[in-house]
Amino acid sequence: MDDLYREQIIDHYKNPRMRGTLEPHDYSYSDDNPVCGDHLRIDLRVDETGRITEAAFDGEGCAISQASADLLVESVVGKTLEEVKQLSKDDVLELLGIELGPVRLKCALLSLKVLKAGVYGLEELEEELV
Ligand code: FES
C-alpha cells in the first residue's frame, strides 16, 4: 500500500471532516456491511436544482469504511443527485488510492451503497412497502 494514501486513510479515519447527522435532511439512508455488521448512515441536503449543499455520515466501522465514507461524502458536496447516481466503485477506489482485496472492498464500498440507496430513495420505498 502506498504510504501517502495509507496516511490519508488514517487521517480521514481519525479526523473525519464530514462526521455527523443532518436534521432535517432531504435524503438519508443507513445500512450495514453484511460481512461484519458495521453500520453507516449518510444524510444529504439538496437545493431546488437537485445539487447537494450539505452531506454528513455517521456510524462505526474499520478505518477503510470510515475513511471511504468521509472521502466520498466530502466529494459529493456540490454534485447533483444525477451525478451521484453515476458514481462507481472505481470512483471510490480512486478516492482511497489503494488496491483492496474482496473483504476490504466491501468495507470501502459500504459508503457508496448507502449513498446511492439514499439518493435512489430506497428509504421511502421501504416505508411504502411496510
Ligand atoms: Fe466492518 Fe470494514 S470491518 S466495515
Side-chain angles (χ1 to χ4, degrees), residues 79-91:
K79 283 192 165 56
T80 65
L81 295 174
E82 285 311 309
E83 286 170 330
V84 168
K85 288 177 184 173
Q86 307 304 319
L87 289 174
S88 70
K89 162 183 142 186
D90 290 340
D91 294 314

Side-chain angles (χ1 to χ4, degrees), residues 15-21 54-58 69-71 73-75 77:
N15 308 297
R17 286 65 159 167
M18 309 301 286
R19 182 176 282 282
T21 54
E54 286 179 78
F57 80 97
D58 202 15
D70 200 46
L71 286 159
V73 163
E74 192 175 45
S75 79
V77 175

Side-chain angles (χ1 to χ4, degrees), residues 33 35-39 60-66 103-104 106-108 110:
N33 180 344
V35 177
C36 63
D38 285 332
H39 187 74
E60 60 282 329
C62 63
I64 297 280
S65 73
Q66 301 296 291
V103 174
R104 285 302 181 187
K106 280 217 183 321
C107 300
L110 177 62

